[in-house]
Amino acid sequence: DPNYLMANERMNLMNMAKLSIKGLIESALNLGRTLDSDYAPLQQFFVVMEHCLKHGLKAKKTFLGQNKSFWGPLELVEKLVPEAAEITASVKDLPGLKTPVGRGRAWLRLALMQKKLSEYMKALINRKDLLSEFYEPNALMMEEEGAIIAGLLVGLNVIDANFCMKGEDLDSQVGVIDFSMYLKDGNSTKGSEGDGQITAILDQKNYVEELNRHLSATVNNLQAKVDALEKSNTKLTEEVSVTENHLMLAVANNRIITLQEEMERVKEESSYILESNRKVTKDRTADGHALTEARKQLKEETQLRLDVEKELEVQIGMRQEMELAMKMLEKDVCEKQDALVALRQQLDDLRALKHELSFKLQSSDMGVKQKSELNSRLEEKTNQMAATIKQLEQSEKDLVKQAKTLNSAANKLIQKHH
């Protein structure tokens, strides 16, 4: 049965990956130095990873025949994780690589040096819709075994590796698994069962510590964002206080209306005086002194009207500045709301990651007390952050209420002006 054969191959490759990763971590920790390309367990690890990535690849017909290369799926990683774009560009710039297989091998080595191999593989395996273009439905990368191997790769973040690939011939290397490195006799197997259990627990401990490091970094980033949001909230409060000062301009707007009424009254009096002067000129009954007084009064009223018009223009300009400040305040409130939504989403992701970490912590028999204390600290931090978010939401509601009050006041003033 082809499906049975493929399943058997997936299981064998997964077991080989477990042995390779475990042996590499144990030997690297015992060695206690940075690994290079000549280290035998590291070479075998890359050979096993190459076989895992080649399993179930669809054959593409080229001019020279059929070609099966795992470089195609690895090129997709830069679209899923932007950090991988640097690795892909470095691989393409290497002058000695001429084949897709060599580029894929160089990519694996650079990802291991960057300590991002597990992250990249998880991102790739989660997109089965993109992998279906390169792999058969029952390939290792399309099944559960691929996800297990991606999880095991997290343990490699505890080792340091350094490769110089400019002089290394990655195109013509023959990837053959050396099974003798993983074979043990019966006596040594029985005598090292306790050591194997301790090693497994240490591997779990290293894995949990790596997850804790990522989680702590996420918590610190989130706390920094909360602090920045609190500072911006304080700044917004100060802007609101400034806006409250602008509310005093509303009193000035009332004065504008009063000045407009006075200007209308002055216009009526001026027209009345002009009409009186016309009558005086027409009738020629008024003497020259009355005409002089009337002209003097007309001049004074005209000057008063000009002064009123200038003050009216100043008050209108101040009202326009207040409206502009209200629009900027509303825009700032919208930005703070978007920031709160993003912060709340990150908090939900943090909680989900905390639950996953709690589940993995329960699987280890050693260090239970330390892990419980760490979990309680994380819960306290999460509760504190939730309380902070509630306070920010309350302050946001207050700001929205103030913005609505300012908007209604501005609308009333505009209606009175019209």
Side-chain angles (χ1 to χ4, degrees), residues 241-287:
S241 63
V242 173
T243 307
E244 290 176 354
N245 294 329
H246 285 292
L247 284 176
M248 298 180 66
L249 295 177
V251 179
N253 288 331
N254 294 330
R255 187 178 179 186
I256 290 174
I257 297 174
T258 305
L259 291 174
Q260 288 177 347
E261 294 175 355
E262 291 180 359
M263 187 177 67
E264 293 294 330
R265 182 177 59 81
V266 170
K267 287 181 180 179
E268 292 176 359
E269 291 178 357
S270 299
S271 61
Y272 177 76
I273 292 172
L274 289 173
E275 187 68 20
S276 299
N277 289 334
R278 291 194 191 106
K279 289 181 180 180
V280 169
T281 304
K282 186 177 180 180
D283 296 336
R284 293 181 181 180
T285 56
D287 55 2

mmCIF file of all heavy atoms in Angstrom, residues 241-287:
data_model
loop_
_atom_site.group_PDB
_atom_site.id
_atom_site.type_symbol
_atom_site.label_atom_id
_atom_site.label_comp_id
_atom_site.label_asym_id
_atom_site.label_seq_id
_atom_site.Cartn_x
_atom_site.Cartn_y
_atom_site.Cartn_z
ATOM 1 N N SER A 241 -6.928 69.571 28.749
ATOM 2 C CA SER A 241 -6.961 70.753 29.606
ATOM 3 C C SER A 241 -6.770 72.020 28.787
ATOM 4 O O SER A 241 -7.398 73.046 29.027
ATOM 5 C CB SER A 241 -5.883 70.643 30.673
ATOM 6 O OG SER A 241 -4.594 70.604 30.081
ATOM 7 N N VAL A 242 -5.873 71.927 27.769
ATOM 8 C CA VAL A 242 -5.700 73.086 26.885
ATOM 9 C C VAL A 242 -6.982 73.362 26.117
ATOM 10 O O VAL A 242 -7.384 74.511 25.900
ATOM 11 C CB VAL A 242 -4.520 72.832 25.919
ATOM 12 C CG1 VAL A 242 -4.422 73.931 24.893
ATOM 13 C CG2 VAL A 242 -3.224 72.719 26.709
ATOM 14 N N THR A 243 -7.649 72.252 25.708
ATOM 15 C CA THR A 243 -8.903 72.430 24.978
ATOM 16 C C THR A 243 -9.963 73.069 25.865
ATOM 17 O O THR A 243 -10.802 73.850 25.400
ATOM 18 C CB THR A 243 -9.386 71.058 24.475
ATOM 19 O OG1 THR A 243 -8.340 70.443 23.742
ATOM 20 C CG2 THR A 243 -10.596 71.231 23.568
ATOM 21 N N GLU A 244 -9.930 72.722 27.168
ATOM 22 C CA GLU A 244 -10.866 73.355 28.087
ATOM 23 C C GLU A 244 -10.621 74.862 28.155
ATOM 24 O O GLU A 244 -11.567 75.656 28.289
ATOM 25 C CB GLU A 244 -10.729 72.739 29.476
ATOM 26 C CG GLU A 244 -11.243 71.317 29.563
ATOM 27 C CD GLU A 244 -11.000 70.723 30.936
ATOM 28 O OE1 GLU A 244 -10.342 71.384 31.757
ATOM 29 O OE2 GLU A 244 -11.477 69.606 31.166
ATOM 30 N N ASN A 245 -9.344 75.231 28.045
ATOM 31 C CA ASN A 245 -9.066 76.665 27.990
ATOM 32 C C ASN A 245 -9.664 77.289 26.737
ATOM 33 O O ASN A 245 -10.128 78.433 26.748
ATOM 34 C CB ASN A 245 -7.555 76.913 28.019
ATOM 35 C CG ASN A 245 -6.939 76.493 29.340
ATOM 36 O OD1 ASN A 245 -7.605 76.566 30.370
ATOM 37 N ND2 ASN A 245 -5.683 76.060 29.323
ATOM 38 N N HIS A 246 -9.650 76.493 25.656
ATOM 39 C CA HIS A 246 -10.258 77.006 24.419
ATOM 40 C C HIS A 246 -11.765 77.178 24.578
ATOM 41 O O HIS A 246 -12.385 77.910 23.801
ATOM 42 C CB HIS A 246 -9.947 76.066 23.245
ATOM 43 C CG HIS A 246 -8.538 76.178 22.752
ATOM 44 N ND1 HIS A 246 -8.049 77.293 22.121
ATOM 45 C CD2 HIS A 246 -7.495 75.309 22.822
ATOM 46 C CE1 HIS A 246 -6.797 77.125 21.804
ATOM 47 N NE2 HIS A 246 -6.430 75.917 22.233
ATOM 48 N N LEU A 247 -12.313 76.436 25.526
ATOM 49 C CA LEU A 247 -13.756 76.597 25.729
ATOM 50 C C LEU A 247 -14.102 78.022 26.147
ATOM 51 O O LEU A 247 -15.235 78.484 25.956
ATOM 52 C CB LEU A 247 -14.247 75.612 26.793
ATOM 53 C CG LEU A 247 -14.381 74.164 26.350
ATOM 54 C CD1 LEU A 247 -14.776 73.290 27.521
ATOM 55 C CD2 LEU A 247 -15.395 74.046 25.241
ATOM 56 N N MET A 248 -13.135 78.659 26.755
ATOM 57 C CA MET A 248 -13.383 80.047 27.142
ATOM 58 C C MET A 248 -13.619 80.918 25.920
ATOM 59 O O MET A 248 -14.184 82.015 26.012
ATOM 60 C CB MET A 248 -12.192 80.579 27.951
ATOM 61 C CG MET A 248 -11.964 79.810 29.255
ATOM 62 S SD MET A 248 -10.571 80.450 30.204
ATOM 63 C CE MET A 248 -11.228 82.067 30.628
ATOM 64 N N LEU A 249 -13.142 80.379 24.776
ATOM 65 C CA LEU A 249 -13.418 81.122 23.545
ATOM 66 C C LEU A 249 -14.901 81.141 23.222
ATOM 67 O O LEU A 249 -15.358 81.982 22.437
ATOM 68 C CB LEU A 249 -12.649 80.489 22.385
ATOM 69 C CG LEU A 249 -11.125 80.566 22.488
ATOM 70 C CD1 LEU A 249 -10.504 79.832 21.307
ATOM 71 C CD2 LEU A 249 -10.678 82.008 22.509
ATOM 72 N N ALA A 250 -15.630 80.179 23.813
ATOM 73 C CA ALA A 250 -17.070 80.193 23.574
ATOM 74 C C ALA A 250 -17.688 81.473 24.116
ATOM 75 O O ALA A 250 -18.622 82.040 23.525
ATOM 76 C CB ALA A 250 -17.716 78.977 24.237
ATOM 77 N N VAL A 251 -17.153 81.948 25.246
ATOM 78 C CA VAL A 251 -17.637 83.220 25.792
ATOM 79 C C VAL A 251 -17.331 84.341 24.811
ATOM 80 O O VAL A 251 -18.143 85.256 24.598
ATOM 81 C CB VAL A 251 -16.969 83.484 27.157
ATOM 82 C CG1 VAL A 251 -17.439 84.813 27.739
ATOM 83 C CG2 VAL A 251 -17.278 82.346 28.122
ATOM 84 N N ALA A 252 -16.128 84.219 24.200
ATOM 85 C CA ALA A 252 -15.782 85.236 23.204
ATOM 86 C C ALA A 252 -16.725 85.178 22.019
ATOM 87 O O ALA A 252 -17.050 86.210 21.406
ATOM 88 C CB ALA A 252 -14.347 85.045 22.743
ATOM 89 N N ASN A 253 -17.192 83.960 21.670
ATOM 90 C CA ASN A 253 -18.143 83.851 20.565
ATOM 91 C C ASN A 253 -19.461 84.557 20.910
ATOM 92 O O ASN A 253 -20.092 85.172 20.044
ATOM 93 C CB ASN A 253 -18.409 82.378 20.251
ATOM 94 C CG ASN A 253 -17.218 81.740 19.574
ATOM 95 O OD1 ASN A 253 -16.476 82.419 18.880
ATOM 96 N ND2 ASN A 253 -17.026 80.452 19.782
ATOM 97 N N ASN A 254 -19.864 84.435 22.186
ATOM 98 C CA ASN A 254 -21.067 85.178 22.595
ATOM 99 C C ASN A 254 -20.868 86.681 22.429
ATOM 100 O O ASN A 254 -21.762 87.415 22.015
ATOM 101 C CB ASN A 254 -21.399 84.854 24.051
ATOM 102 C CG ASN A 254 -21.815 83.407 24.231
ATOM 103 O OD1 ASN A 254 -22.385 82.822 23.305
ATOM 104 N ND2 ASN A 254 -21.545 82.837 25.382
ATOM 105 N N ARG A 255 -19.637 87.085 22.743
ATOM 106 C CA ARG A 255 -19.342 88.511 22.558
ATOM 107 C C ARG A 255 -19.375 88.883 21.091
ATOM 108 O O ARG A 255 -19.737 90.009 20.730
ATOM 109 C CB ARG A 255 -17.980 88.822 23.165
ATOM 110 C CG ARG A 255 -17.669 90.312 23.178
ATOM 111 C CD ARG A 255 -16.337 90.591 23.833
ATOM 112 N NE ARG A 255 -16.053 92.008 23.811
ATOM 113 C CZ ARG A 255 -14.897 92.557 24.202
ATOM 114 N NH1 ARG A 255 -13.933 91.747 24.663
ATOM 115 N NH2 ARG A 255 -14.715 93.853 24.157
ATOM 116 N N ILE A 256 -18.946 87.906 20.237
ATOM 117 C CA ILE A 256 -19.009 88.173 18.797
ATOM 118 C C ILE A 256 -20.443 88.473 18.381
ATOM 119 O O ILE A 256 -20.716 89.404 17.598
ATOM 120 C CB ILE A 256 -18.465 86.954 18.016
ATOM 121 C CG1 ILE A 256 -16.957 86.852 18.230
ATOM 122 C CG2 ILE A 256 -18.775 87.059 16.542
ATOM 123 C CD1 ILE A 256 -16.346 85.618 17.635
ATOM 124 N N ILE A 257 -21.365 87.652 18.907
ATOM 125 C CA ILE A 257 -22.777 87.873 18.552
ATOM 126 C C ILE A 257 -23.223 89.256 19.027
ATOM 127 O O ILE A 257 -23.920 90.003 18.315
ATOM 128 C CB ILE A 257 -23.635 86.768 19.179
ATOM 129 C CG1 ILE A 257 -23.234 85.400 18.587
ATOM 130 C CG2 ILE A 257 -25.109 87.035 18.939
ATOM 131 C CD1 ILE A 257 -23.913 84.234 19.253
ATOM 132 N N THR A 258 -22.799 89.616 20.267
ATOM 133 C CA THR A 258 -23.166 90.951 20.797
ATOM 134 C C THR A 258 -22.583 92.051 19.924
ATOM 135 O O THR A 258 -23.254 93.053 19.608
ATOM 136 C CB THR A 258 -22.652 91.085 22.234
ATOM 137 O OG1 THR A 258 -23.157 90.007 23.010
ATOM 138 C CG2 THR A 258 -23.108 92.400 22.843
ATOM 139 N N LEU A 259 -21.305 91.860 19.509
ATOM 140 C CA LEU A 259 -20.679 92.870 18.655
ATOM 141 C C LEU A 259 -21.371 92.968 17.308
ATOM 142 O O LEU A 259 -21.490 94.070 16.725
ATOM 143 C CB LEU A 259 -19.198 92.544 18.466
ATOM 144 C CG LEU A 259 -18.316 92.693 19.724
ATOM 145 C CD1 LEU A 259 -16.912 92.191 19.423
ATOM 146 C CD2 LEU A 259 -18.287 94.134 20.196
ATOM 147 N N GLN A 260 -21.815 91.803 16.790
ATOM 148 C CA GLN A 260 -22.559 91.845 15.521
ATOM 149 C C GLN A 260 -23.852 92.647 15.669
ATOM 150 O O GLN A 260 -24.226 93.430 14.789
ATOM 151 C CB GLN A 260 -22.851 90.418 15.063
ATOM 152 C CG GLN A 260 -21.628 89.675 14.559
ATOM 153 C CD GLN A 260 -21.945 88.254 14.175
ATOM 154 O OE1 GLN A 260 -23.022 87.751 14.514
ATOM 155 N NE2 GLN A 260 -21.021 87.614 13.491
ATOM 156 N N GLU A 261 -24.529 92.410 16.812
ATOM 157 C CA GLU A 261 -25.755 93.187 17.043
ATOM 158 C C GLU A 261 -25.458 94.673 17.153
ATOM 159 O O GLU A 261 -26.201 95.511 16.598
ATOM 160 C CB GLU A 261 -26.436 92.688 18.318
ATOM 161 C CG GLU A 261 -26.954 91.255 18.198
ATOM 162 C CD GLU A 261 -27.522 90.759 19.512
ATOM 163 O OE1 GLU A 261 -27.430 91.490 20.520
ATOM 164 O OE2 GLU A 261 -28.060 89.629 19.521
ATOM 165 N N GLU A 262 -24.359 95.003 17.851
ATOM 166 C CA GLU A 262 -23.989 96.414 17.958
ATOM 167 C C GLU A 262 -23.637 96.987 16.590
ATOM 168 O O GLU A 262 -23.973 98.147 16.294
ATOM 169 C CB GLU A 262 -22.799 96.565 18.908
ATOM 170 C CG GLU A 262 -23.134 96.273 20.359
ATOM 171 C CD GLU A 262 -21.933 96.424 21.270
ATOM 172 O OE1 GLU A 262 -20.848 96.744 20.742
ATOM 173 O OE2 GLU A 262 -22.095 96.234 22.481
ATOM 174 N N MET A 263 -22.972 96.164 15.762
ATOM 175 C CA MET A 263 -22.631 96.644 14.426
ATOM 176 C C MET A 263 -23.884 96.908 13.601
ATOM 177 O O MET A 263 -23.962 97.910 12.865
ATOM 178 C CB MET A 263 -21.749 95.604 13.728
ATOM 179 C CG MET A 263 -21.185 96.075 12.393
ATOM 180 S SD MET A 263 -20.082 94.877 11.655
ATOM 181 C CE MET A 263 -21.255 93.598 11.294
ATOM 182 N N GLU A 264 -24.870 96.028 13.747
ATOM 183 C CA GLU A 264 -26.132 96.265 13.050
ATOM 184 C C GLU A 264 -26.804 97.549 13.548
ATOM 185 O O GLU A 264 -27.345 98.338 12.745
ATOM 186 C CB GLU A 264 -27.069 95.071 13.259
ATOM 187 C CG GLU A 264 -26.597 93.776 12.608
ATOM 188 C CD GLU A 264 -26.591 93.873 11.096
ATOM 189 O OE1 GLU A 264 -27.421 94.633 10.556
ATOM 190 O OE2 GLU A 264 -25.750 93.224 10.473
ATOM 191 N N ARG A 265 -26.716 97.742 14.872
ATOM 192 C CA ARG A 265 -27.307 98.959 15.421
ATOM 193 C C ARG A 265 -26.582 100.192 14.915
ATOM 194 O O ARG A 265 -27.202 101.210 14.567
ATOM 195 C CB ARG A 265 -27.276 98.909 16.945
ATOM 196 C CG ARG A 265 -27.919 100.115 17.620
ATOM 197 C CD ARG A 265 -27.893 99.942 19.129
ATOM 198 N NE ARG A 265 -26.523 99.791 19.616
ATOM 199 C CZ ARG A 265 -25.691 100.818 19.825
ATOM 200 N NH1 ARG A 265 -26.088 102.047 19.581
ATOM 201 N NH2 ARG A 265 -24.487 100.593 20.268
ATOM 202 N N VAL A 266 -25.242 100.079 14.830
ATOM 203 C CA VAL A 266 -24.460 101.213 14.311
ATOM 204 C C VAL A 266 -24.796 101.483 12.857
ATOM 205 O O VAL A 266 -24.902 102.642 12.423
ATOM 206 C CB VAL A 266 -22.960 100.920 14.501
ATOM 207 C CG1 VAL A 266 -22.110 101.945 13.754
ATOM 208 C CG2 VAL A 266 -22.598 100.949 15.977
ATOM 209 N N LYS A 267 -24.982 100.372 12.101
ATOM 210 C CA LYS A 267 -25.361 100.567 10.695
ATOM 211 C C LYS A 267 -26.702 101.272 10.581
ATOM 212 O O LYS A 267 -26.889 102.172 9.746
ATOM 213 C CB LYS A 267 -25.425 99.208 9.988
ATOM 214 C CG LYS A 267 -24.064 98.603 9.722
ATOM 215 C CD LYS A 267 -24.220 97.285 8.997
ATOM 216 C CE LYS A 267 -22.852 96.651 8.712
ATOM 217 N NZ LYS A 267 -22.998 95.355 8.022
ATOM 218 N N GLU A 268 -27.660 100.850 11.444
ATOM 219 C CA GLU A 268 -28.977 101.505 11.399
ATOM 220 C C GLU A 268 -28.865 102.973 11.782
ATOM 221 O O GLU A 268 -29.486 103.849 11.130
ATOM 222 C CB GLU A 268 -29.928 100.787 12.356
ATOM 223 C CG GLU A 268 -30.281 99.371 11.897
ATOM 224 C CD GLU A 268 -31.147 98.648 12.907
ATOM 225 O OE1 GLU A 268 -31.444 99.244 13.964
ATOM 226 O OE2 GLU A 268 -31.541 97.499 12.632
ATOM 227 N N GLU A 269 -28.100 103.269 12.834
ATOM 228 C CA GLU A 269 -27.928 104.665 13.235
ATOM 229 C C GLU A 269 -27.227 105.466 12.151
ATOM 230 O O GLU A 269 -27.583 106.639 11.892
ATOM 231 C CB GLU A 269 -27.120 104.738 14.534
ATOM 232 C CG GLU A 269 -27.868 104.197 15.736
ATOM 233 C CD GLU A 269 -27.037 104.247 16.996
ATOM 234 O OE1 GLU A 269 -25.869 104.643 16.907
ATOM 235 O OE2 GLU A 269 -27.591 103.900 18.067
ATOM 236 N N SER A 270 -26.228 104.818 11.510
ATOM 237 C CA SER A 270 -25.528 105.527 10.428
ATOM 238 C C SER A 270 -26.467 105.835 9.269
ATOM 239 O O SER A 270 -26.456 106.944 8.700
ATOM 240 C CB SER A 270 -24.352 104.686 9.933
ATOM 241 O OG SER A 270 -23.433 104.463 10.973
ATOM 242 N N SER A 271 -27.279 104.821 8.924
ATOM 243 C CA SER A 271 -28.246 105.070 7.844
ATOM 244 C C SER A 271 -29.261 106.152 8.235
ATOM 245 O O SER A 271 -29.655 106.999 7.406
ATOM 246 C CB SER A 271 -28.958 103.771 7.487
ATOM 247 O OG SER A 271 -29.669 103.286 8.612
ATOM 248 N N TYR A 272 -29.622 106.108 9.530
ATOM 249 C CA TYR A 272 -30.558 107.144 9.996
ATOM 250 C C TYR A 272 -29.932 108.529 9.920
ATOM 251 O O TYR A 272 -30.554 109.521 9.497
ATOM 252 C CB TYR A 272 -30.981 106.834 11.432
ATOM 253 C CG TYR A 272 -31.891 107.873 12.054
ATOM 254 C CD1 TYR A 272 -33.231 107.945 11.711
ATOM 255 C CD2 TYR A 272 -31.378 108.810 12.962
ATOM 256 C CE1 TYR A 272 -34.054 108.910 12.260
ATOM 257 C CE2 TYR A 272 -32.199 109.770 13.531
ATOM 258 C CZ TYR A 272 -33.544 109.817 13.173
ATOM 259 O OH TYR A 272 -34.376 110.771 13.723
ATOM 260 N N ILE A 273 -28.647 108.617 10.313
ATOM 261 C CA ILE A 273 -27.955 109.910 10.255
ATOM 262 C C ILE A 273 -27.808 110.380 8.815
ATOM 263 O O ILE A 273 -27.987 111.570 8.483
ATOM 264 C CB ILE A 273 -26.595 109.796 10.949
ATOM 265 C CG1 ILE A 273 -26.793 109.579 12.456
ATOM 266 C CG2 ILE A 273 -25.746 111.037 10.713
ATOM 267 C CD1 ILE A 273 -25.532 109.277 13.201
ATOM 268 N N LEU A 274 -27.468 109.430 7.925
ATOM 269 C CA LEU A 274 -27.351 109.809 6.510
ATOM 270 C C LEU A 274 -28.680 110.303 5.960
ATOM 271 O O LEU A 274 -28.733 111.283 5.202
ATOM 272 C CB LEU A 274 -26.858 108.601 5.700
ATOM 273 C CG LEU A 274 -25.394 108.196 5.922
ATOM 274 C CD1 LEU A 274 -25.115 106.895 5.184
ATOM 275 C CD2 LEU A 274 -24.470 109.300 5.441
ATOM 276 N N GLU A 275 -29.725 109.607 6.349
ATOM 277 C CA GLU A 275 -31.043 110.050 5.892
ATOM 278 C C GLU A 275 -31.389 111.432 6.450
ATOM 279 O O GLU A 275 -31.946 112.294 5.743
ATOM 280 C CB GLU A 275 -32.105 109.025 6.319
ATOM 281 C CG GLU A 275 -33.488 109.299 5.752
ATOM 282 C CD GLU A 275 -33.548 109.107 4.238
ATOM 283 O OE1 GLU A 275 -32.653 108.413 3.707
ATOM 284 O OE2 GLU A 275 -34.463 109.652 3.607
ATOM 285 N N SER A 276 -30.987 111.644 7.707
ATOM 286 C CA SER A 276 -31.233 112.963 8.309
ATOM 287 C C SER A 276 -30.437 114.040 7.593
ATOM 288 O O SER A 276 -30.944 115.168 7.338
ATOM 289 C CB SER A 276 -30.859 112.936 9.790
ATOM 290 O OG SER A 276 -31.647 111.975 10.470
ATOM 291 N N ASN A 277 -29.170 113.704 7.252
ATOM 292 C CA ASN A 277 -28.342 114.679 6.537
ATOM 293 C C ASN A 277 -28.929 115.002 5.174
ATOM 294 O O ASN A 277 -28.862 116.150 4.713
ATOM 295 C CB ASN A 277 -26.920 114.147 6.383
ATOM 296 C CG ASN A 277 -26.164 114.128 7.700
ATOM 297 O OD1 ASN A 277 -26.480 114.921 8.584
ATOM 298 N ND2 ASN A 277 -25.200 113.224 7.837
ATOM 299 N N ARG A 278 -29.451 113.928 4.525
ATOM 300 C CA ARG A 278 -30.089 114.200 3.226
ATOM 301 C C ARG A 278 -31.270 115.157 3.399
ATOM 302 O O ARG A 278 -31.474 116.082 2.594
ATOM 303 C CB ARG A 278 -30.553 112.889 2.604
ATOM 304 C CG ARG A 278 -29.408 111.990 2.147
ATOM 305 C CD ARG A 278 -29.925 110.908 1.246
ATOM 306 N NE ARG A 278 -28.902 109.901 1.006
ATOM 307 C CZ ARG A 278 -28.886 108.688 1.530
ATOM 308 N NH1 ARG A 278 -29.872 108.322 2.348
ATOM 309 N NH2 ARG A 278 -27.904 107.855 1.250
ATOM 310 N N LYS A 279 -32.049 114.896 4.458
ATOM 311 C CA LYS A 279 -33.202 115.777 4.687
ATOM 312 C C LYS A 279 -32.747 117.200 5.007
ATOM 313 O O LYS A 279 -33.349 118.177 4.549
ATOM 314 C CB LYS A 279 -34.042 115.235 5.837
ATOM 315 C CG LYS A 279 -34.792 113.958 5.480
ATOM 316 C CD LYS A 279 -35.627 113.482 6.654
ATOM 317 C CE LYS A 279 -36.382 112.202 6.290
ATOM 318 N NZ LYS A 279 -37.200 111.734 7.434
ATOM 319 N N VAL A 280 -31.645 117.283 5.794
ATOM 320 C CA VAL A 280 -31.146 118.618 6.144
ATOM 321 C C VAL A 280 -30.664 119.346 4.906
ATOM 322 O O VAL A 280 -30.929 120.551 4.703
ATOM 323 C CB VAL A 280 -30.018 118.494 7.193
ATOM 324 C CG1 VAL A 280 -29.292 119.829 7.372
ATOM 325 C CG2 VAL A 280 -30.608 118.053 8.515
ATOM 326 N N THR A 281 -29.939 118.593 4.058
ATOM 327 C CA THR A 281 -29.444 119.222 2.824
ATOM 328 C C THR A 281 -30.599 119.610 1.916
ATOM 329 O O THR A 281 -30.569 120.662 1.255
ATOM 330 C CB THR A 281 -28.500 118.248 2.104
ATOM 331 O OG1 THR A 281 -27.446 117.867 2.992
ATOM 332 C CG2 THR A 281 -27.892 118.891 0.877
ATOM 333 N N LYS A 282 -31.603 118.740 1.844
ATOM 334 C CA LYS A 282 -32.739 119.020 0.971
ATOM 335 C C LYS A 282 -33.557 120.204 1.467
ATOM 336 O O LYS A 282 -33.968 121.069 0.699
ATOM 337 C CB LYS A 282 -33.615 117.761 0.883
ATOM 338 C CG LYS A 282 -34.753 117.893 -0.101
ATOM 339 C CD LYS A 282 -35.521 116.590 -0.167
ATOM 340 C CE LYS A 282 -36.679 116.697 -1.151
ATOM 341 N NZ LYS A 282 -37.433 115.428 -1.224
ATOM 342 N N ASP A 283 -33.807 120.222 2.739
ATOM 343 C CA ASP A 283 -34.666 121.297 3.281
ATOM 344 C C ASP A 283 -33.907 122.607 3.471
ATOM 345 O O ASP A 283 -34.498 123.691 3.441
ATOM 346 C CB ASP A 283 -35.267 120.859 4.613
ATOM 347 C CG ASP A 283 -36.192 119.661 4.452
ATOM 348 O OD1 ASP A 283 -36.721 119.464 3.338
ATOM 349 O OD2 ASP A 283 -36.353 118.908 5.445
ATOM 350 N N ARG A 284 -32.559 122.473 3.683
ATOM 351 C CA ARG A 284 -31.706 123.645 3.934
ATOM 352 C C ARG A 284 -32.249 124.470 5.096
ATOM 353 O O ARG A 284 -32.184 125.693 5.105
ATOM 354 C CB ARG A 284 -31.619 124.533 2.684
ATOM 355 C CG ARG A 284 -30.883 123.867 1.535
ATOM 356 C CD ARG A 284 -30.796 124.772 0.345
ATOM 357 N NE ARG A 284 -30.101 124.111 -0.755
ATOM 358 C CZ ARG A 284 -29.889 124.691 -1.932
ATOM 359 N NH1 ARG A 284 -30.310 125.944 -2.151
ATOM 360 N NH2 ARG A 284 -29.272 124.030 -2.877
ATOM 361 N N THR A 285 -32.811 123.730 6.092
ATOM 362 C CA THR A 285 -33.319 124.425 7.259
ATOM 363 C C THR A 285 -32.370 124.358 8.432
ATOM 364 O O THR A 285 -32.505 125.115 9.391
ATOM 365 C CB THR A 285 -34.658 123.789 7.681
ATOM 366 O OG1 THR A 285 -34.471 122.410 7.910
ATOM 367 C CG2 THR A 285 -35.708 123.997 6.605
ATOM 368 N N ALA A 286 -31.429 123.344 8.350
ATOM 369 C CA ALA A 286 -30.471 123.196 9.463
ATOM 370 C C ALA A 286 -29.286 124.112 9.215
ATOM 371 O O ALA A 286 -28.929 124.386 8.082
ATOM 372 C CB ALA A 286 -30.022 121.757 9.576
ATOM 373 N N ASP A 287 -28.709 124.579 10.233
ATOM 374 C CA ASP A 287 -27.566 125.477 10.103
ATOM 375 C C ASP A 287 -26.286 124.678 9.920
ATOM 376 O O ASP A 287 -26.265 123.447 9.977
ATOM 377 C CB ASP A 287 -27.453 126.377 11.342
ATOM 378 C CG ASP A 287 -27.401 125.568 12.629
ATOM 379 O OD1 ASP A 287 -27.417 124.307 12.531
ATOM 380 O OD2 ASP A 287 -27.342 126.153 13.724
#
